[in-house]
Amino acid sequence: MPRIAFGAGVRSTVGACAARYGRRALLVTGGASLRAAELEQSFATAEVHIEQVQIADEPSPDQIDAAVRAYHQADIDVVVAIGGGSALDAGKAIAGLLRPGNSVLEHLEGVGPERPYQGPAVPFVALPTTAGTGSEATKNAVLSQRGAEGYKKSFRDEALVARDALVDPDFLQTCPRSVLAANGMDALTQLLESFVSTRSNRLCAALALDGLKQARDALLPLYEDPSNAEARAGMAYASLLSGICLAQTGLGSVHGLASPLGAFFPIPHGMACGTLVAKATDINLSAMQQREPEHPALEAYATVGRLFANEQGLSRQEAWDALLDRLWDWTQSLQLQRLSAWGVTSADHPRIVANSRGSSMKTNPIVLRDEEIAAILAVRQ
Ligand SMILES: [Zn+2]
């Protein structure tokens, strides 16, 4: 776990935070321009010299290797990433490889030799500017090779976890509404999938439920009005909890599908998750009712339904209905696009299904059949 600082304005401490590790920082930012002047001032005040790498779009192995080559000899003391999940994952991977200097392809899961990571990692500080991936609390960096032969795979090691996470909800004020919607649904999906995961535990269940409660109350208000400070704090908190939980429990079928979807098509991660989560939940519920009616995740889903409806007295069936109603309602209200908007056709479904059984699918509460996974896609095609 990183040391966590949470609250409006904590971004101004970034320079002092970086200075605890040394005087030379590599700043990794995303494609969107951020109000850098304020942050540069924070580094200057702390007498930290910064070099800067910009990562547009989701990071590829080539981009990571290029940054590592460029700064391998630069005596960087600390890597600071400021941005969405892409910038944070890029910073995490670069911090991991800056000292060893080898290609990230040697460590990517399911790609190449999968050599164990030996380190050492340069200290890494994460400042998320969106509320979605929870990357500031996780040990994996997701890298994307896009295209027909594409993949989305993780570079994963405990040593990659950020030393510090500075979570400032005020970054969300300037986040585009479509990004707030997609990332908010990603956080919500990560909380829900952690809560029902085959590796769920009491600690994560408590955190996930609190995150789901915050998301219930903050997701739509934030989408409707990013100047709502309470909603910003609620979603930033839900997102942070989602990262803490998923690092312990793994995820489920939605993230299993998001991986090939994001590799083969230019669909943002949160959009893929948000558009699929309602139907994926429906499929998990019906598969367990049919094949494993005693499965504990059935009660876990009912617990979330009662939380979303804010009615503790609901029967199991009523609670499941309330859960699905709310998920479909958010899918509509947040205008999450169908898969066809990103170039996916029905002919692509078999290939997506065939590539969906990565690490996330392994912790789905029930093993799904190919036709069930295909049905999740079909409803949102
Ligand atoms: Zn996610």
Side-chain angles (χ1 to χ4, degrees):
M1 278 265 283
R3 187 185 73 90
I4 296 167
F6 183 97
V10 298
R11 71 178 94 172
S12 65
T13 65
V14 65
C17 179
R20 294 197 284 119
Y21 304 107
R23 295 287 164 215
R24 289 178 66 82
L26 181 63
L27 184 60
V28 179
T29 59
S33 64
L34 42 96
R35 285 175 295 163
E38 180 191 355
L39 297 168
E40 280 171 16
Q41 184 58 48
S42 172
F43 286 110
T45 304
E47 297 178 21
V48 174
H49 172 81
I50 50 174
E51 303 277 354
Q52 198 162 349
V53 171
Q54 196 173 30
I55 300 286
D57 196 19
E58 295 183 3
S60 67
D62 283 350
Q63 282 178 299
I64 301 305
D65 287 354
V68 168
R69 273 196 305 275
Y71 294 100
H72 178 48
Q73 308 279 13
D75 292 326
I76 298 294
D77 298 310
V78 55
V79 174
V80 180
I82 303 176
S86 297
L88 266 48
D89 281 4
K92 198 183 292 178
I94 293 167
L97 293 168
L98 211 47
R99 291 272 189 278
N102 60 290
S103 169
V104 72
L105 289 171
E106 293 181 20
H107 305 299
L108 272 191
E109 284 177 2
V111 182
E114 302 191 63
R115 287 206 180 94
Y117 173 72
Q118 308 280 0
V122 171
F124 173 53
V125 177
L127 282 80
T129 61
T130 63
T133 67
S135 174
E136 66 275 14
T138 70
K139 60 190 166 195
N140 62 310
V142 181
L143 304 183
S144 305
Q145 190 70 51
R146 284 240 169 89
E149 301 297 311
Y151 55 79
K152 264 185 103 152
K153 296 289 179 185
S154 280
F155 170 28
R156 191 188 309 263
D157 195 273
E158 293 291 346
L160 303 181
V161 176
R163 297 280 192 95
D164 302 84
L166 308 182
V167 184
D168 188 335
D170 278 0
F171 275 124
L172 301 178
Q173 209 159 2
T174 49
C175 192
R177 289 177 70 225
S178 61
V179 175
L180 289 173
N183 286 353
M185 285 298 271
D186 184 25
L188 184 112
T189 302
Q190 291 175 173
L191 290 162
L192 182 60
E193 292 198 313
S194 299
F195 188 63
V196 300
S197 156
T198 55
R199 283 170 41 209
S200 188
N201 59 54
R202 285 181 71 176
L203 174 72
C204 288
L207 296 178
L209 272 186
D210 198 35
L212 286 164
K213 182 164 174 278
Q214 294 295 326
R216 173 195 75 188
D217 295 340
L219 184 55
L220 279 187
L222 179 62
Y223 178 66
E224 279 153 16
D225 179 15
S227 72
N228 179 335
E230 198 180 336
R232 286 200 303 268
M235 283 314 296
Y237 175 76
S239 172
L240 171 63
L241 288 186
S242 81
I244 293 170
C245 290
L246 80 87
Q248 309 298 322
T249 64
L251 293 163
S253 64
V254 180
H255 278 79
L257 279 166
S259 171
L261 276 170
F264 301 148
F265 302 93
I267 176 167
H269 174 74
M271 186 64 75
C273 291
T275 208
L276 299 179
V277 65
K279 185 62 183 176
T281 303
D282 190 2
I283 292 279
N284 270 354
L285 279 169
S286 52
M288 285 188 287
Q289 285 173 273
Q290 285 164 24
R291 301 200 286 280
E292 299 182 28
E294 304 299 318
H295 198 302
L298 284 167
E299 184 57 28
Y301 275 129
T303 300
V304 180
R306 292 181 192 113
L307 177 82
F308 281 177
N310 211 4
E311 284 189 55
Q312 289 309 309
L314 295 184
S315 71
R316 265 195 177 189
Q317 186 62 56
E318 288 168 337
W320 293 332
D321 291 345
L323 169 63
L324 294 176
D325 280 354
R326 187 59 76 95
L327 292 174
W328 282 119
D329 180 44
W330 279 322
T331 310
Q332 299 301 323
S333 304
L334 297 168
Q335 300 180 295
L336 296 163
Q337 290 159 303
R338 290 178 171 275
L339 299 175
S340 54
W342 302 92
V344 183
T345 69
S346 303
D348 297 310
H349 290 190
R351 186 165 59 112
I352 297 165
V353 172
N355 285 280
S356 70
R357 297 191 185 274
S359 56
S360 294
M361 195 63 97
K362 293 191 172 72
T363 44
N364 195 60
I366 184 166
V367 177
L368 295 179
R369 297 170 176 157
D370 279 356
E371 59 269 28
E372 290 169 329
I373 301 172
I376 299 171
L377 296 171
V379 161
R380 294 301 292 165
Q381 179 57 42

